[in-house]
Amino acid sequence: MEIKSNHSTGNRPEGDRILDAPYVFTDIPMYLEQLRSEKSWAKNDRNAITVYKSDKITIVIAILKSGATVNDHSIDECLTFQVLSGELKVETEGRVFYTTSGQMMSFHAQLAHSISALTDSEILITTYKG
């Protein structure tokens, strides 16, 4: 298997990390700390980092400031997000859900949904081809 890694960027000059290999270890608390220390967190209402990416699955750790909103979001893949901390309001198909630490929501591909952070929140997002 070919090992895949990202390339450093201006935002993350020391950002080289393995994204796909026979196994990938992810230190979630370390990434959460890194996200909070980056300039983009100070300037924006959210920040995220991809920690795993294969042909079928992508895993992202994201942090949202209270009030951050993702409106009418839909993608070509299935999506699951797990709340690590905080509280989110999720709207889809005319229904409203409130998710908190330890809870998870899953969506089929093409299903529009909106997510609003009611408090500063940390989430683990997984997208996959269904």
Side-chain angles (χ1 to χ4, degrees), residues 10-11 20 22 34 36 41 50-51 57 62 74 95 98 105 113 115 122-123 130:
N11 290 334
D20 192 11
Q34 176 184 335
R36 282 195 174 77
W41 178 242
T50 300
V51 296
I57 298 173
S74 70
R95 298 202 54 203
Y98 294 90
M105 283 196 75
H113 56 278
I115 299 172
E122 304 169 338
I123 58 176

Side-chain angles (χ1 to χ4, degrees), residues 6-9 11-17 26-42 46-51 61-63 122:
N6 74 312
H7 301 289
S8 60
T9 65
N11 290 334
R12 294 190 177 117
E14 67 289 331
D16 288 339
R17 64 191 177 285
T26 303
D27 185 340
I28 294 172
M30 181 208 62
Y31 282 117
L32 290 168
E33 184 178 318
Q34 176 184 335
L35 290 170
R36 282 195 174 77
S37 71
E38 292 177 342
K39 290 178 186 176
S40 59
W41 178 242
R46 69 198 77 192
N47 197 11
I49 190 166
T50 300
V51 296
I61 297 171
I63 56 176
E122 304 169 338

Side-chain angles (χ1 to χ4, degrees), residues 91-114:
E91 298 179 66
T92 187
E93 297 196 319
R95 298 202 54 203
V96 176
F97 300 89
Y98 294 90
T99 59
T100 59
S101 180
Q103 295 180 326
M104 181 172 85
M105 283 196 75
S106 301
F107 301 91
H108 278 278
Q110 306 295 330
L111 184 66
H113 56 278
S114 296

Side-chain angles (χ1 to χ4, degrees), residues 116-128:
S116 300
L118 300 177
T119 63
D120 287 357
S121 300
E122 304 169 338
I123 58 176
L124 183 68
I125 304 162
T126 304
T127 61
Y128 52 96

Side-chain angles (χ1 to χ4, degrees), residues 1-2 4 6 17-26 31 49-61 124-128:
M1 165 180 219
E2 176 187 351
K4 297 177 188 171
N6 74 312
R17 64 191 177 285
I18 302 230
L19 293 178
D20 192 11
Y23 57 89
V24 176
F25 174 80
T26 303
Y31 282 117
I49 190 166
T50 300
V51 296
Y52 181 82
K53 185 170 183 130
S54 71
D55 294 339
K56 296 180 181 182
I57 298 173
T58 300
I59 301 174
V60 174
I61 297 171
L124 183 68
I125 304 162
T126 304
T127 61
Y128 52 96

